[in-house]
Amino acid sequence: MSRNSSPWDQLLFQPPLCEGWKQNDEGAAYHLGNCILLLGYMGGSGIFGSIYIFSLLATGYICYALWGWLNACGLDIFIWNMLLVMACVLQLAHLVYRLHKDTFLEEFDLLYKTLCQPLQVPFEVYKEIVKCCEEKVLSLARDQNYAVEGKTPINCLSLLLSGRVRVSQDGQFLHYVFPYQFLDSPEWESLRPSEEGTFQVTLTAETDCSYITWPRRKLYLLLAKDRYIARLFSVFLGYDISEKLYALNDKLFAKFGLRFDIRLPSLHHVLGPASSQVEAEKELDEWEERAMPHRPMSTFVQTATSAPPPPPSARPKMPRPDSALLGEDSTSLVLEDFAELSGSFMDYVSEGEYMK
């Protein structure tokens, strides 16, 4: 090998040889530090995995510093390991600060695991959603109204966290709202951002309840700023409204054995606000004209003239008695309304014909 070779060539091709190996061990601190570093590098990912890694690394470097001070008697070994210990401690302090900053109430942690984590919603996005509701959990006492029909303005969107809320209209029970369902999703979807309105139903807490609420204007600004959050709320609200419609449909099926298609316009009519008496009379007359069967042509010649049959008398529109006196609930009213509408399930002989 040439004398002009570089130090790297000498290190690779002519490594220095040890003149003699030590006969004694390096000491317990050195071996303990190696074992702790080995365990530290087995840590996982995430903030808790990082805390585990840097905690064990700091402990291992402390063992190395003790070994360099007591056994190896090397000042450089001691200084370098103490610098590494300080770096690990600073990183641990930063991780603990982040963990404390990202800590929510237990209700918000459970909400994330229930709704957002199955959809793999990033935690940073979830923090923006929670920040919009000001990280406040509100409560409803038993028999306390969240909204009163025709009086309470629609100025927020709320999500039930615990308890059970009863939804009724004109004193008739419609359905329940259970935990992790929106309290006012139909009302939220029924209005544009520039419109104002009031609740068409009454929501009453049947048990002690807790919920979170997003102010309407503040949430609209967030949805306009972040399209991902807007699509996320669109999925949540669409699923919630469909669950409420299916709850009404299942109630009809349980009582009458009939399952209606929630996509039918007749169901939308029934679930909407009641029409006035004049509109109801007009709708009934139009229905009778459409439903009147055509008389078939006679297959024989009549020998004697017969008087024309009397015109069918119009069926009077009887006022609906008070449902509270008859023990009637909303499902019986819905079935009667379906019988008076064309294009509904009642126009078909069987369910098989309806499905064609």
Side-chain angles (χ1 to χ4, degrees):
M1 195 64 73
S2 173
R3 293 182 180 181
N4 295 329
S5 59
S6 63
W8 290 107
D9 294 335
Q10 294 180 2
L11 183 63
L12 293 175
F13 300 106
Q14 295 179 351
L17 300 177
C18 296
E19 297 179 356
W21 295 93
K22 290 185 178 180
Q23 299 298 324
N24 54 343
D25 295 333
E26 290 297 336
Y30 178 79
H31 298 290
L32 179 61
N34 287 325
C35 295
I36 294 176
L37 289 179
L38 177 63
L39 294 175
Y41 285 119
M42 293 181 180
S45 60
I47 187 168
F48 291 103
S50 299
I51 291 176
Y52 170 84
I53 292 175
F54 286 104
S55 298
L56 291 183
L57 287 181
T59 306
Y61 291 139
I62 289 176
C63 293
Y64 278 156
L66 293 176
W67 166 72
W69 184 265
L70 299 176
N71 295 99
C73 297
L75 185 60
D76 54 345
I77 298 177
F78 175 79
I79 292 176
W80 274 111
N81 282 281
M82 289 306 298
L83 290 176
L84 292 174
V85 169
M86 292 178 61
C88 292
V89 170
L90 291 176
Q91 185 66 30
L92 282 173
H94 174 68
L95 292 172
V96 171
Y97 170 76
R98 283 184 52 193
L99 184 63
H100 177 73
K101 183 180 179 181
D102 296 340
T103 300
F104 294 117
L105 296 175
E106 182 180 357
E107 292 84 355
F108 289 107
D109 289 335
L110 192 57
L111 175 63
Y112 177 76
K113 295 177 182 177
T114 304
L115 289 184
C116 297
Q117 194 170 18
L119 298 179
Q120 298 181 356
V121 177
F123 195 74
E124 296 297 327
V125 175
Y126 179 69
K127 287 196 300 183
E128 291 294 327
I129 298 174
V130 174
K131 183 180 178 181
C132 185
C133 70
E134 300 177 354
E135 302 183 23
K136 292 181 179 179
V137 178
L138 306 178
S139 60
L140 278 176
R142 185 174 182 178
D143 296 330
Q144 181 180 355
N145 288 333
Y146 169 80
V148 179
E149 179 180 351
K151 296 182 179 180
T152 305
I154 304 172
N155 53 14
C156 62
L157 178 66
S158 300
L159 180 71
L160 187 65
L161 297 179
S162 64
R164 185 178 64 190
V165 174
R166 176 188 178 94
V167 182
S168 60
Q169 185 179 35
D170 295 330
Q172 296 295 329
F173 168 74
L174 297 179
H175 60 87
Y176 284 113
V177 177
F178 295 102
Y180 303 108
Q181 291 183 344
F182 287 96
L183 290 170
D184 40 15
S185 53
E187 288 76 12
W188 174 270
E189 288 291 326
S190 65
L191 296 179
R192 296 179 180 178
S194 59
E195 296 177 343
E196 300 292 337
T198 57
F199 278 83
Q200 301 300 313
V201 294
T202 299
L203 289 87
T204 306
E206 286 209 340
T207 62
D208 293 335
C209 303
S210 62
Y211 67 98
I212 58 175
T213 183
W214 292 272
R216 187 181 177 197
R217 178 177 177 82
K218 197 172 182 180
L219 183 56
Y220 270 129
L221 292 176
L222 177 63
L223 299 182
K225 181 180 69 173
D226 195 320
R227 294 188 60 186
Y228 179 81
I229 297 179
R231 291 195 297 267
L232 189 64
F233 268 87
S234 178
V235 171
F236 287 153
L237 291 171
Y239 177 78
D240 188 82
I241 293 175
S242 65
E243 286 291 309
K244 289 179 172 62
L245 290 176
Y246 277 115
L248 293 174
N249 197 18
D250 290 340
K251 187 181 178 185
L252 289 172
F253 179 76
K255 186 169 184 178
F256 301 103
L258 301 175
R259 190 178 298 277
F260 301 100
D261 190 344
I262 65 173
R263 298 168 297 179
L264 288 176
S266 51
L267 183 60
H268 179 269
H269 166 83
V270 172
L271 298 180
S275 304
S276 63
Q277 185 70 19
V278 177
E279 294 175 352
E281 293 286 351
K282 182 178 179 181
E283 183 179 343
L284 177 62
D285 295 339
E286 293 177 356
W287 177 85
E288 287 180 347
E289 292 178 1
R290 293 195 302 268
M292 185 67 66
H294 296 285
R295 186 174 300 278
M297 187 72 69
S298 300
T299 57
F300 61 92
V301 178
Q302 296 182 350
T303 57
T305 60
S306 58
S313 58
R315 185 180 58 175
K317 177 70 175 182
M318 299 299 294
R320 184 174 291 163
D322 189 3
S323 59
L325 299 177
L326 300 179
E328 197 174 49
D329 64 358
S330 60
T331 53
S332 59
L333 306 181
V334 168
L335 185 63
E336 182 179 346
D337 287 337
F338 264 101
E340 297 175 358
L341 292 173
S342 61
S344 68
F345 183 86
M346 306 301 295
D347 293 337
Y348 296 89
V349 179
S350 63
E351 184 177 358
E353 184 179 349
Y354 165 71
M355 296 299 293
K356 290 181 181 180

